[in-house]
Amino acid sequence: MKWRSGWASSFSSWKLLMFVLVSLMVLMSISSQGYIVGKQSTKTIEGQYSQMIAENIDSLSVNLSNYLNYIDDFARTLSNHPDLIGALEREDGGADRKQAVEGELRKFSEYYHLRLPVHIQVFSAREEVYAYPAVNAPEERNLTTAVSAFPWFGNRVALDNDFLHWNVAGDFHDPSSSNALYVSKNITRNNRSLGLLVIELNGSQIERMLNRAQIDENNPVFIFSGELTTLFHNEQLPPSFGDDAEAALDGVYRSIKARNKDEGALDVRLSGSDYRLIYKQIAATPWTMVSLIPPYLLHADSVSIWRITALTMGISVLFVALFFGILYAKVTMPVRRLSRMVRQYREGRMPEPYAYKGFREIETLSEGIFQFLGEIREQFHTIKRGEGEKRRLELQRLQEQMRPHFWHNSLNTLRFMAVLHGDPTMAEAILSLTKMLDYTLRNTDVRYSTLEEETAYAMSFVRFQEIRSMKQIRVELELDEPARQALVPKFTIQPILENAIVHGFAPAFQGEPLVRIKAQLAEGSLVIALEDNGRGIDPHRLGQLLQPRRRPSGASGGLSLSNLQQRFKLEYGELYGITVESRPNAYTRVKMTLPYQLEPQPKEGEAP
């Protein structure tokens, strides 16, 4: 027997050795694949970087195009504004006319709510300059010089008056600063030129937009015109991008234009540095946006992947032997002993605890095996006790279900007795109460009913109150057909009707009680309105009705609305709930807005 046990042990050790060797081969195979994965990852990351930059440029070009369209619409509307044209045609002197024109510019700008940092100027046919915001004399001279230099300025009256001119020049506030965008349009009336509208957009706004297209501070972004001139660039060019690099951009622009494509990418060299260039034409303009990316920005993550791959391969090879040695001494052999212990228990023998010192998990496993066997016995007894308790609860539930039937049958008996004794009013009151009890006790585990069922229940309540108060209550129903089958929480309408009858039609009320119930669909929601012609609600109490509060000792009423409000908020969210309108001695209107549902929606954590 001993030699068999030794042979089996040696055979098991040989199998473990084979397992280690196979594992090493798999590890080497995986490590060799690291090179392939790293190379593919490099291409993928570079492609993703290029895609991300292209998407940034595309998004920015759309935003910039939207800004330009916004200014275009503003300029066209202002140039045809009758009040501005009327102010320009005034003949009452320079100062009054200047005040009137600049006032119209200010009012229109405030009315239009233009959210861009623009300056609005008008060059009148009388060679006067009006501006909002106001400009000083040097700024006015700079503005006149900048606009007069535009190639179309001398022939502006003969040009198409519906055409807008887009020009980029130095900012007339500070010519040494960045460029500014000038949008110009003739102001005419009856084919007579009244002046020239000029709107200036500060170039810093466009430069800040270009900053968003950068992936790094060393990634310059430019906009150039159809005449191959740099119009704008991001706020801060990298230090390595000197004047000679900016001068070399002319050749880059020509290369882009020669490709005759709206967007694309190419490799360029500027001032001895290589760049990956991505460009895209801005929609509805002759402008093109260009992003210059240094190659190291694209390769930075790829280099990190190569380093991590090499380091991982080296560490894996060095530690694999140590790992499997520890695995054999501290895991494999102890698990085999635990396996023998389980076999002993299966054969009916209670094994002795295995004293193991090493990995805490195996220590816990050894202790847990014995604890688990004991808990199996305990669970067996617990299951038997649970089955007995389950049968007892089912019997108790059946007894509880019998009690509502007892009350239902008792009320029916009383109703037949009232009919036999010639008291139809009492019989009808008991019938209404029976219907209410039947609705209340039917399907107690169901939270929703159709609006039609809720209305029928409410009408039974109204009929019972009529008999109880010996006063007729007129109810007008206006339920749209699609709304009748909408699901609403049970007991939604009756509490509001009860408030109307108990409080609105209290003894001080002298008129004919009237309640209108209207339900319709509005924008995908179910709107239920209940209005009565009762005493109304005091204004100081109206704002407190929907506030959650505890019921004071001895108080009655007033809580049903707040409870319903809390219930709707918890059930459907903050978009739905109750609003109350009231006028003392006139009316009270309660409007409930609920989601339109034909099937109940499961709550979070519930099965659908």
Side-chain angles (χ1 to χ4, degrees):
M1 295 294 295
K2 290 184 178 180
W3 68 270
R4 291 182 179 178
S5 176
W7 176 256
S9 177
S10 299
F11 184 70
S12 298
S13 300
W14 173 253
K15 289 191 294 184
L16 180 62
L17 180 60
M18 288 297 296
F19 170 73
V20 171
L21 293 176
V22 171
S23 300
L24 283 173
M25 293 177 63
V26 172
L27 179 62
M28 293 302 295
S29 175
I30 294 174
S31 299
S32 63
Q33 293 176 4
Y35 172 80
I36 300 173
V37 173
K39 186 174 182 180
Q40 186 64 33
S41 299
T42 300
K43 293 182 179 179
T44 302
I45 291 175
E46 292 177 1
Q48 289 176 347
Y49 258 117
S50 299
Q51 180 66 24
M52 180 185 68
I53 296 169
E55 290 176 355
N56 286 347
I57 293 178
D58 186 57
S59 175
L60 186 58
S61 68
V62 171
N63 291 339
L64 186 57
S65 179
N66 290 337
Y67 276 132
L68 298 179
N69 290 335
Y70 191 43
I71 296 176
D72 184 294
D73 181 65
F74 177 81
R76 292 183 184 278
T77 306
L78 178 57
S79 64
N80 292 289
H81 196 271
D83 293 340
L84 176 61
I85 293 175
L88 289 171
E89 290 180 330
R90 291 181 58 167
E91 302 291 344
D92 53 356
D96 292 339
R97 183 167 50 247
K98 180 179 181 65
Q99 183 178 2
V101 172
E102 292 181 348
E104 292 300 327
L105 296 178
R106 176 185 57 80
K107 288 192 295 182
F108 186 82
S109 178
E110 293 174 352
Y111 171 79
Y112 206 83
H113 295 295
L114 194 64
R115 298 182 296 273
L116 298 174
V118 299
H119 295 266
I120 309 170
Q121 296 78 218
V122 174
F123 291 80
S124 73
R126 303 178 179 88
E127 298 185 355
E128 297 172 337
V129 178
Y130 312 115
Y132 175 77
V135 297
N136 55 35
E139 290 175 338
E140 183 175 327
R141 288 194 297 271
N142 292 338
L143 173 64
T144 303
T145 301
V147 176
S148 300
F150 296 154
W152 49 265
F153 183 79
N155 195 33
R156 65 185 183 280
V157 176
L159 296 175
D160 184 358
N161 292 323
D162 290 330
F163 183 76
L164 267 72
H165 303 276
W166 301 79
N167 300 92
V168 177
D171 190 344
F172 71 87
H173 298 91
D174 182 8
S176 63
S177 63
S178 60
N179 286 341
L181 172 64
Y182 293 85
V183 181
S184 310
K185 184 182 182 303
N186 280 332
I187 303 175
T188 61
R189 185 168 186 174
N190 297 328
N191 293 323
R192 182 169 60 92
S193 176
L194 301 179
L196 177 68
L197 172 66
V198 179
I199 300 174
E200 184 226 38
L201 173 63
N202 193 301
S204 60
Q205 175 73 13
I206 299 178
E207 290 178 352
R208 286 192 293 270
M209 293 176 63
L210 295 179
N211 289 342
R212 299 204 299 268
Q214 291 181 283
I215 61 172
D216 186 84
E217 61 180 8
N218 293 319
N219 165 214
V221 182
F222 298 87
I223 293 178
F224 70 89
S225 67
E227 291 77 22
L228 307 182
T229 303
T230 299
L231 301 179
F232 302 100
H233 58 73
N234 57 287
E235 288 185 299
Q236 189 66 39
L237 292 176
S240 60
F241 204 85
D243 295 337
D244 54 342
E246 290 192 58
L249 285 174
D250 182 66
V252 174
Y253 297 157
R254 283 189 169 85
S255 299
I256 294 174
K257 191 169 185 179
R259 294 168 68 94
N260 197 26
K261 294 182 179 179
D262 292 341
E263 57 183 295
L266 64 154
D267 296 317
V268 298
R269 187 173 181 82
L270 295 173
S271 300
S273 300
D274 293 325
Y275 291 93
R276 179 65 174 173
L277 183 146
I278 299 177
Y279 68 92
K280 180 176 179 61
Q281 184 173 357
I282 300 174
T285 71
W287 300 351
T288 302
M289 188 181 305
V290 174
S291 179
L292 296 172
I293 306 103
Y296 73 86
L297 292 178
L298 297 175
H299 304 328
D301 287 349
S302 302
V303 172
S304 298
I305 288 179
W306 280 110
R307 291 174 179 173
I308 293 173
T309 301
L311 182 62
T312 302
M313 291 173 61
I315 293 176
S316 300
V317 172
L318 289 175
F319 284 95
V320 67
L322 178 62
F323 169 76
F324 279 108
I326 296 175
L327 178 67
Y328 178 77
K330 292 295 185 180
V331 177
T332 305
M333 292 304 296
V335 168
R336 290 173 60 188
R337 292 183 180 181
L338 291 176
S339 176
R340 286 198 298 268
M341 293 168 56
V342 173
R343 286 198 302 270
Q344 291 174 0
Y345 181 82
R346 185 177 58 188
E347 295 170 358
R349 295 177 295 167
M350 189 64 184
E352 296 181 1
Y354 168 56
Y356 169 81
K357 296 297 180 181
F359 290 106
R360 185 173 182 83
E361 290 76 7
I362 298 182
E363 292 180 12
T364 304
L365 178 62
S366 178
E367 297 171 358
I369 286 177
F370 290 94
Q371 182 180 354
F372 176 70
L373 297 176
E375 289 180 353
I376 288 177
R377 295 189 182 94
E378 182 64 27
Q379 287 293 329
F380 176 74
H381 296 296
T382 301
I383 290 172
K384 291 187 66 176
R385 290 194 299 268
E387 290 293 332
E389 181 68 14
K390 181 178 179 181
R391 286 193 296 270
R392 186 185 66 81
L393 292 176
E394 288 178 351
L395 290 174
Q396 182 179 354
R397 182 182 178 186
L398 290 175
Q399 292 175 353
E400 292 293 336
Q401 290 178 345
M402 293 173 63
R403 294 174 185 172
H405 290 289
F406 167 75
W407 292 112
H408 188 276
N409 294 334
S410 299
L411 288 173
N412 278 331
T413 302
L414 292 175
R415 181 168 66 89
F416 287 127
M417 291 177 65
V419 173
L420 292 174
H421 286 79
D423 192 348
T425 302
M426 179 60 70
E428 188 174 357
I430 295 175
L431 178 60
S432 298
L433 187 59
T434 302
K435 291 180 179 180
M436 293 168 60
L437 181 63
D438 180 64
Y439 181 80
T440 303
L441 299 179
R442 186 177 70 248
N443 297 329
T444 56
D445 57 341
V446 175
R447 301 201 310 266
Y448 302 94
S449 296
T450 64
L451 180 61
E452 193 169 24
E453 292 173 339
E454 272 290 296
T455 306
Y457 170 69
M459 295 304 296
S460 298
F461 172 77
V462 171
R463 182 54 185 153
F464 182 79
Q465 291 295 331
E466 285 181 327
I467 298 171
R468 175 176 172 271
S469 62
M470 294 184 292
K471 181 186 295 185
Q472 185 176 4
I473 301 172
R474 185 156 59 96
V475 179
E476 296 180 358
L477 294 176
E478 298 181 28
L479 307 180
D480 289 356
E481 192 61 33
R484 292 177 179 270
Q485 300 305 316
L487 291 182
V488 297
K490 291 183 70 173
F491 310 113
T492 295
I493 297 178
Q494 183 271 334
I496 301 177
L497 274 176
E498 183 176 358
N499 278 348
I501 294 172
V502 174
H503 300 290
F505 303 144
F509 178 74
Q510 299 297 328
E512 178 189 2
L514 171 63
V515 178
R516 293 187 180 91
I517 304 175
K518 184 176 182 181
Q520 60 184 359
L521 303 183
E523 298 181 356
S525 297
L526 175 65
V527 180
I528 307 172
L530 288 87
E531 180 178 346
D532 66 73
N533 64 341
R535 298 167 55 191
I537 305 172
D538 293 336
H540 72 276
R541 291 190 62 245
L542 189 60
Q544 304 173 0
L545 288 179
L546 300 179
Q547 299 298 324
R549 62 192 188 280
R550 293 185 177 180
R551 180 187 294 271
S553 177
S556 64
L559 290 182
S560 58
L561 286 176
S562 63
N563 290 341
L564 276 176
Q565 180 78 314
Q566 286 182 276
R567 182 182 179 189
F568 292 158
K569 297 295 183 184
L570 292 173
E571 188 79 16
Y572 302 120
E574 294 297 327
L575 295 178
Y576 302 96
I578 300 175
T579 58
V580 182
E581 302 176 20
S582 182
R583 182 183 299 169
N585 299 319
Y587 71 92
T588 298
R589 183 184 300 112
V590 179
K591 185 170 75 172
M592 296 175 286
T593 303
L594 307 175
Y596 179 60
Q597 297 177 352
L598 297 177
E599 294 182 359
Q601 300 296 318
K603 287 189 174 181
E604 183 177 355
E606 294 183 355

